[in-house]
């Protein structure tokens, strides 16, 4: 691999700008049996909560046209177990280690962030955008004021570079992004899933126990792309883009729209090799277009 | 990518699909099948190994065209290519003694390869197979090659015909009510029963946590990675 894909986000150097999205790659254990995980730029962990959680009951998945709804509900082993068992494992895999932290209250977030100071991670991704847990999660990301407050609190209590992951389920994502930047975020990642719904017409009931669920996959790509573009037009900090990226062309579009790196989620489910193919494709694109580094196309639109 | 050598309808909405140069797996394991590059549907569909021909490296599936994913599969022609991931999942254990297999409808698919593997592992053991169908039977004859007793029932309750006894091992796959009935009977006779569960899947490898089931102890298990085969008493509170 050449230097053409070397990427720096939040002051951290990545082999390439392709990161496994939170909740779609576990802690890297399963996919490391299938693909050469060490080639990835980074891995964002499953969303962690302070005490851990069994997640939602009832049905958790439904495929929809060119997308999928999920209602996993942040099933995770808790920050403690992550610090002890999963972070050291992720470190050995090679890619940059990102811990994704969710929460139910301000105190949860602060305590979780403090515990993560003991973990050997590179970036803390603050998830204020999970639509699948009832009190909190996304609630913090919906209003600029509360997003700023939680960002500030976590920033004050964390030693790690802070990436704040935004929800697209807002009136103005630019306002939320600006509020987080001002509160001390070192970068913004977007988007988390769009709030959706499905009804089982035979049973005459909502498919998911929580009624609403999160939509991801190619169906959301054009909206996610537009949001990344809008946000990067207004903030100075790094933007990490995602939402329905399936191949090299999609990844390039997010980079051109203003992302410094991309995350890939649902497409890995469809084909575990997706991210490796994107990395090869980006390398090839740099050759064909005589780029010294992939960052030369970032934000050109 | 794998080339389709056969894709035929053998009963109403029931198809057999064969792919060449495919990797081998164990009975009870499954593959994720996907039309290359498809965005709708874009996830793979889990199908159990129905048969595997070691000499020609041909894997076969038996599937029911139900929704958009399996209907799209049914429209593919020999010569076309398909994405295949796997084999995934734990598969059935291979016990020593006498065995009884109970299949309902399309649930007979994993039991077919299981019968074959059980026979191979121990040619002298006694193998009983019970197959239940709602309207018409299919693939019944190919079970005959590998078992000592074959019982087929159309429109009834196949589990009612099975005698459970301590010491033998039982396997079941089919509609949930059928597997629950088998679990209840097995428990009564303290017989060892393995069930193969179904769940909606995205990754198939244990990463998304979308396919979990609850154990009787209240813990989560991933059907794709920790299963799909479980001891009945681990997942059914009957
Ligand atoms: C480990 C494992 C092994 C398997 N092995 C086999 C096998 O060997 N052979 C086999 O045939 N199958 C097997 N299955 C099942 C198979 O994977 C599914 O049948 C398949 O994924 C269905 O996909 P589909 O797109 O065709 O249907 P889906 O889109 O999933 O729909 C299935 C049905 O549900 C209905 N439906 C969907 N949404 C709604 C709604 N909102 N309201 C009302 N109805 C709705 C659809 O109309 C359709 O009839 C296995 C499953 C697992 C987990
Ligand atoms: C099954 C599933 C689980 C997810 N879990 C999390 C999570 O724990 N934390 C988080 O920040 N995002 C989570 N997400 C959101 C993804 O990280 C990503 O933002 C979203 O799926 C859009 O990208 P995609 O279209 O490439 O999947 C999850 C998504 C899916 C599909
Ligand atoms: S289908 Fe993803 S964990 Fe089982």
């Amino acid at each position: 691999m050449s230097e053409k894909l070397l990427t720096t986000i939040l002051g951290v150097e990545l082999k390439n700008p392709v990161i496994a999205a939170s909740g779609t790659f576990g802690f890297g254990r399963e996919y490391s049996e299938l693909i050469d995980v060490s080639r990835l730029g980074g891995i964002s962990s499953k969303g962690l909560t302070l005490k851990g959680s069994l997640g939602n009951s009832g049905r958790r998945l439904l495929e929809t046209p060119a997308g999928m709804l999920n209602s996993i509900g942040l099933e995770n082993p808790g920050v403690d177990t992550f610090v002890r068992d999963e972070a050291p494992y992720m470190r050995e895999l090679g890619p940059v280690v990102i811990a994704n932290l969710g929460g139910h209250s301000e105190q949860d977030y602060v305590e979780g962030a403090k515990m993560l100071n003991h973990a050997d991670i590179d970036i803390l991704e603050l998830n204020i955008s999970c639509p699948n847990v009832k009190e909190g999660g996304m609630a913090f990301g919906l209003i600029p004021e509360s997003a700023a407050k939680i960002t500030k609190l976590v920033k004050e209590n964390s030693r790690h570079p802070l990436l704040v992951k935004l929800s697209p389920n807002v009136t103005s994502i630019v306002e939320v992004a600006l509020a987080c930047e001002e509160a001390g975020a070192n970068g913004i990642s977007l988007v988390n899933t769009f709030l959706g719904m499905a009804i089982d017409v035979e049973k005459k009931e909502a498919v998911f126990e929580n009624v609403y669920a999160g939509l991801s996959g190619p169906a959301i790509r054009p909206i996610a792309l537009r949001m990344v573009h809008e946000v990067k037009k207004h903030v100075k900090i790094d933007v990490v883009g995602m939402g329905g990226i399936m191949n090299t062309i999609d990844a390039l579009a997010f980079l051109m729209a203003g992302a410094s790196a991309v995350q890939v989620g649902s497409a890995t489910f469809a084909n575990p090799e997706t991210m490796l193919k994107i990395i090869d494709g980006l390398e090839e694109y740099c050759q064909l277009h005589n780029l010294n580094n992939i960052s030369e196309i970032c934000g050109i639109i | 990518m794998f080339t389709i050598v056969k894709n035929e309808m053998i009963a109403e909405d029931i198809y057999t699909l064969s792919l060449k140069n495919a990797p081998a797996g164990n009975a009870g394991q499954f593959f994720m099948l996907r039309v290359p590059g498809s965005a709708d549907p874009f996830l793979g569909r889990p199908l159990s190994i129905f048969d595997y021909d070691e000499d020609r490296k041909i894997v076969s599936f038996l599937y029911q065209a139900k929704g958009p994913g399996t209907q799209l599969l049914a429209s593919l022609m020999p010569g076309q290519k398909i994405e295949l991931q796997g084999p995934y999942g734990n598969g059935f254990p291979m016990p020593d003694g006498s065995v009884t297999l109970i299949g309902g409808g399309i649930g007979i698919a994993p039991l077919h390869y299981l019968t074959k593997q059980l026979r191979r592992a121990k040619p002298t053991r006694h193998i009983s197979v019970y197959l239940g169908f709602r309207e018409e039977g299919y693939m019944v004859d190919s079970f005959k090659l590998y078992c000592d007793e074959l019982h087929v029932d159309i429109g009834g309750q196949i589990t009612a015909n099975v005698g459970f006894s301590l010491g033998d091992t039982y396997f079941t796959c089919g509609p949930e009510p059928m597997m629950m009935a088998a679990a209840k009977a097995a428990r009564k006779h303290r017989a060892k029963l393995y069930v193969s569960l179904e769940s909606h899947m995205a990754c198939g490898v244990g990463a998304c946590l979308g396919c979990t089931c609850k154990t009787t102890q209240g813990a989560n298990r991933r059907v794709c990675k920790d299963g799909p085969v479980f001891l009945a008493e681990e997942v059914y509170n009957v």
Side-chain angles (χ1 to χ4, degrees):
Chain A
M1 234 349 97
S2 71
E3 314 262 289
K4 290 187 191 297
L5 297 186
L6 276 185
T7 297
T8 303
I9 55 164
L10 288 75
V12 179
E13 188 172 269
L14 285 66
K15 283 192 277 284
N16 59 64
V18 181
I19 302 166
S22 174
T24 65
F25 215 74
F27 302 103
R29 290 181 189 274
E30 293 78 17
Y31 281 109
S32 65
E33 294 172 15
L34 298 172
I35 60 165
D36 183 0
V37 166
S38 72
R39 291 188 55 210
L40 302 177
I43 299 174
S44 181
S45 77
K46 174 65 199 170
L48 305 164
T49 56
L50 189 58
K51 304 237 160 64
S53 161
L54 286 176
N56 292 339
S57 54
R59 187 168 171 174
R60 289 180 168 190
L61 293 175
L62 176 76
E63 188 167 344
T64 58
M68 58 181 281
L69 286 165
N70 89 79
S71 180
I72 311 293
L74 291 184
E75 174 175 345
N76 80 93
V79 179
D80 218 7
T81 307
F82 173 81
V83 173
R84 197 183 57 233
D85 301 333
E86 305 296 349
Y89 173 80
M90 287 176 76
R91 172 59 73 213
E92 275 179 27
L93 292 175
V96 159
V97 180
I98 304 175
N100 181 285
L101 178 67
H104 306 280
S105 66
E106 281 176 12
Q107 206 185 339
D108 274 12
Y109 276 107
V110 169
E111 261 181 70
K114 280 185 181 165
M115 282 166 74
L116 285 169
N117 286 334
H118 303 289
D120 176 22
I121 59 169
D122 301 301
I123 292 173
L124 173 60
E125 185 172 48
L126 187 64
N127 177 4
I128 51 168
S129 45
C130 178
N132 293 327
V133 287
K134 276 209 171 95
E135 71 285 291
M138 188 171 81
F140 293 99
L142 294 185
I143 312 166
E145 290 74 28
S146 59
K149 189 167 176 213
I150 202 92
T151 301
K152 189 159 180 289
L153 275 173
V154 169
K155 185 68 202 169
E156 283 166 0
N157 286 284
S158 176
R159 70 180 176 94
H160 303 295
L162 185 63
L163 183 64
V164 181
K165 183 163 177 180
L166 302 188
S167 167
N169 305 300
V170 294
T171 321
S172 168
I173 197 155
V174 171
E175 278 178 35
V176 181
L178 282 169
C180 294
E181 179 178 44
E182 203 178 289
N186 304 102
I188 298 287
S189 57
L190 74 161
V191 294
N192 208 316
T193 54
F194 285 77
L195 212 51
M197 177 179 185
I199 295 172
D200 186 327
V201 297
E202 294 301 326
K203 291 189 190 154
K204 302 190 180 77
E205 61 186 32
V207 168
F208 298 103
E209 280 187 11
N210 270 359
V211 184
Y212 302 144
L215 182 67
S216 62
I220 69 171
R221 191 197 308 135
I223 318 178
L225 184 65
R226 182 265 295 171
M227 288 180 160
V228 165
H229 187 253
E230 270 189 324
V231 165
K232 189 58 204 179
K233 285 275 171 270
H234 291 85
V235 301
K236 288 183 197 66
I237 51 180
D238 289 329
V239 169
V240 176
M242 78 196 90
I245 295 176
M246 297 278 281
N247 52 40
T248 305
I249 295 173
D250 300 341
L252 284 165
F254 275 82
L255 295 173
M256 290 186 189
S260 304
V262 295
Q263 294 189 7
V264 177
S266 309
T268 299
F269 301 154
N271 186 336
E273 308 261 342
T274 303
M275 285 188 282
L276 302 183
K277 285 188 189 150
I278 291 175
I279 293 166
D280 292 340
L282 292 178
E283 179 85 30
E284 214 171 292
Y285 186 88
C286 287
Q287 302 283 0
L288 282 172
H289 291 258
N290 289 319
L291 305 178
N292 290 316
N293 188 275
I294 189 74
S295 61
E296 289 164 30
I297 58 148
C298 291
I300 59 170
I301 305 291
Chain B
M1 297 248 249
F2 296 85
T3 307
I4 298 173
V5 289
K6 193 171 92 178
N7 194 18
E8 284 173 7
M9 183 151 105
I10 58 153
E12 200 186 337
D13 293 336
I14 306 292
Y15 294 76
T16 55
L17 169 72
S18 303
L19 308 175
K20 69 176 178 192
N21 295 325
N26 289 317
Q29 288 193 296
F30 62 93
F31 286 92
M32 299 290 277
L33 284 85
R34 177 170 179 257
V35 174
S38 169
D40 184 22
F42 86 109
L43 295 173
R45 292 292 184 271
L47 292 183
S48 309
I49 303 172
F50 173 76
D51 203 354
Y52 188 74
D53 178 337
E54 285 82 4
D55 300 331
R56 300 191 298 153
K57 289 194 166 34
I58 290 182
V59 67
S60 299
F61 303 98
L62 178 71
Y63 68 96
Q64 184 169 22
K66 263 190 187 163
T70 45
Q71 274 158 13
L72 183 64
L73 265 188
S75 72
L76 301 177
M77 309 289 277
Q80 279 184 281
K81 292 207 183 332
I82 193 162
E83 282 178 15
L84 185 76
Q85 316 283 347
Y88 294 150
N90 58 358
F92 290 108
M94 287 279 141
D96 270 340
S98 300
V99 293
T100 299
L101 291 74
I102 310 155
I106 198 67
I108 70 168
L111 299 185
H112 180 264
Y113 193 46
L114 176 62
T115 316
K116 187 171 170 179
Q117 284 201 326
L118 284 165
R119 172 55 83 222
R120 283 223 184 126
K122 210 169 174 214
T124 55
R125 81 166 91 225
H126 190 85
I127 303 181
S128 309
V129 175
Y130 292 79
L131 305 177
F133 300 93
R134 214 166 285 159
E135 278 156 14
E136 60 171 328
Y138 40 84
M139 283 295 171
V140 170
D141 285 346
S142 51
F143 277 86
K144 280 189 188 148
L145 293 170
Y146 313 112
C147 67
D148 303 292
E149 274 179 56
L150 179 66
H151 307 266
V152 179
D153 183 285
I154 314 272
Q157 268 200 319
I158 190 75
T159 47
N161 308 334
V162 184
F164 285 88
S165 59
L166 190 68
D168 289 4
T169 308
Y170 296 78
F171 300 93
T172 186
C173 183
E176 183 130 80
M178 185 203 88
M179 296 200 288
M180 300 270 266
K184 208 167 183 170
R187 188 192 163 96
K188 199 167 145 202
H189 296 94
R190 288 188 285 142
K192 191 174 235 179
L193 172 71
Y194 291 96
V195 298
S196 180
L197 298 188
E198 256 193 31
S199 180
H200 293 272
M201 293 183 176
C203 70
V205 303
C208 74
L209 309 180
C211 67
T212 53
C213 65
K214 277 256 182 299
T215 65
T216 48
Q217 308 294 318
N220 286 343
R221 288 279 179 278
R222 297 162 300 179
V223 172
C224 68
K225 181 84 177 173
D226 307 315
V229 179
F230 296 93
L231 262 178
E233 65 212 45
E234 198 186 345
V235 288
Y236 284 150
N237 221 336
V238 286

